[in-house]
Every structure is written in structure tokens, then in C-alpha cells.
Amino acid sequence: ILNVEQSPQSLHVQEGDSTNFTCSFPSSNFYALHWYRWETAKSPEALFVMTLNGDEKKKGRISATLNTKEGYSYLYIKGSQPEDSATYLCAFTRGNQFYFGTGTSLTVIP
Amino acid sequence: GAVVSQHPSWVICKSGTSVKIECRSLDFQATTMFWYRQFPKQSLMLMATSNEGSKATYEQGVEKDKFLINHASLTLSTLTVTSAHPEDSSFYICSASVTSGSETQYFGPGTRLLVL
């Protein structure tokens, strides 16, 4: 079983604050790194798929970076809004298998 | 696009009964479907991978006779928990992808199973 770690486990921020969290994964035999947003009682929503070292992806106020050599990815949220409250999951893939972290639970306080 | 539904969303059953969970891709054909299980405060753990028309591939430690998977069409996979016991209580979630590679998996909303 591959170890994918996410930190922090949970996070509370004020509306308007920017925030970031980390996904750490094995740096060997890397294939892709996925980020998902998971709101309560809904399906996890795919945010980004990143495959190349140095990749940066952006979707609105959310962006992500990837460092495959050291085995980490950062997810950034600029100007957090209450609707950003969710659990953010990362998944490392090797071959066709996904290995998930336990997620970072973000609560944005109005 | 890429919507996956899962039914039921929650189920409570008595120990010893069987429970069937359906996973459907609503607007695309899913060559491969995946079944995960998540225990409290743990990550999603892959139970099995199923390709349409063939037998599912189970992960180590997952009993294939207990967790029956059928992927009879490109839009439907079912997971049957046979003779459920309290330790099977968990959150079960499916996902689907167009190919069997490492592209994005599209998830259902999950099923919470409680076995009394």
C-alpha cells in the first residue's frame, strides 16, 4: 500500500483569506496526481490532473502545483468563499491504480 | 457531463442479509468501474476493479465471494454485500472511467451501509 499524506487534516479560515494545503506522495514511478473536491452528500468532483514535474493548473480561484522529484503537490485557494467549504482529496496514480490521501477538510467561515 | 449515480445512498440492514448497491454512468460509457470503501478517518481504499463483460479484479484482502461485483453493461455495475455483518458497515463509493488507465475517475455520491 502506497502512502499518500495530506496536511493539514482540517482547516478553518475566514472568508476572503487565501489558504493552501499539501499532498505528499512517493516520488518513484510517478504517473499522475489528481485533486478532487468533495462536498458533503455529493460526489467527489475532479479538479485537476497533473502529470509533469513543475505543472501548474488553475481553475478560477483554485490552483495547484506539482513537484514529482520531491513528491508533493500544493493546492491553493485565493480569497476563500463559504462555497469552497469541502474536503479536498488528492490521489496518486501508479499504473492504473489510484491511491488516495485522507483529505483536508476546509471550512470557510463567513 | 461525466455524471455517476449510485443507489441507494444509505441502507440499514440486519446481520446476515445481502445488500445490492448500483452504480450507473449516466452520460458516458464506462469501460472500467471501481469500487472503494472508506472507514471513518481513513482514505478511500480500492476494493475491486471491474471491466464490462469480464470478471472483477479484487484487491488483496477483499473476499470476492462476499463482495460480488457484476459489470453487465457499459453503464451499470453492481456490488452485492452478501451475508452482511456489522464489520461490513462502511461507506461504499464507486467510480467510472472511460478507459482502464490513469485518467480521471468520476465518482458516485456513495452509499452508507449500516449492518445491525
Side-chain angles (χ1 to χ4, degrees):
Chain A
I1 296 177
L2 297 178
N3 201 26
V4 179
E5 294 187 357
Q6 290 188 248
S7 63
Q9 187 175 355
S10 66
L11 193 56
H12 290 71
V13 301
Q14 291 289 332
E15 181 177 354
D17 287 351
S18 294
T19 187
N20 66 86
F21 20 92
T22 308
C23 172
S24 301
F25 52 86
S27 56
S28 61
N29 297 325
F30 175 85
Y31 190 89
L33 193 285
H34 300 249
W35 280 101
Y36 288 84
R37 177 170 62 196
W38 195 359
E39 294 181 64
T40 303
K42 295 186 178 179
S43 303
E45 172 197 355
L47 288 175
F48 305 115
V49 182
M50 295 185 287
T51 57
L52 298 176
N53 184 45
D55 251 355
E56 289 189 33
K57 294 276 178 94
K58 189 174 180 181
K59 186 177 182 179
R61 292 178 291 99
I62 303 176
S63 60
T65 61
L66 178 67
N67 184 322
T68 61
K69 293 186 178 180
E70 296 182 38
Y72 64 84
S73 175
Y74 292 138
L75 189 80
Y76 300 90
I77 302 179
K78 185 177 178 182
S80 304
Q81 299 296 309
E83 59 264 31
D84 296 328
S85 297
T87 295
Y88 291 83
L89 288 179
C90 71
F92 163 82
T93 60
R94 179 180 286 176
N96 63 355
Q97 185 134 341
F98 279 52
Y99 300 91
F100 284 88
T102 52
T104 292
S105 173
L106 173 68
T107 302
V108 181
I109 303 164
Chain B
V3 178
V4 176
S5 70
Q6 197 171 329
H7 179 80
S9 56
W10 58 270
V11 58
I12 301 173
C13 69
K14 291 182 179 179
S15 184
T17 59
S18 294
V19 175
K20 181 187 279 189
I21 303 170
E22 291 187 350
C23 177
R24 294 180 185 272
S25 57
L26 299 184
D27 52 3
F28 67 102
Q29 293 188 323
T31 303
T32 307
M33 286 186 166
F34 306 85
W35 288 96
Y36 293 84
R37 179 169 53 182
Q38 184 183 37
F39 291 108
K41 303 224 182 272
Q42 295 187 22
S43 59
L44 297 176
M45 294 297 295
L46 182 66
M47 298 175 66
T49 302
S50 73
N51 291 292
E52 183 264 339
S54 60
K55 288 184 179 179
T57 302
Y58 289 82
E59 295 302 302
Q60 192 173 10
V62 178
E63 299 175 57
K64 62 180 181 181
D65 293 332
K66 182 169 184 62
F67 298 99
L68 300 179
I69 291 172
N70 185 288
H71 191 166
S73 76
L74 285 171
T75 59
L76 174 64
S77 177
T78 59
L79 168 69
T80 301
V81 183
T82 61
S83 187
H85 290 284
E87 58 266 29
D88 298 323
S89 298
S90 187
F91 183 77
Y92 294 85
I93 189 168
C94 70
S95 69
S97 68
V98 175
T99 72
S100 60
S102 292
E103 65 172 67
T104 298
Q105 292 183 14
Y106 300 97
F107 284 85
T111 297
R112 188 159 300 282
L113 171 64
L114 176 61
V115 185
L116 301 176

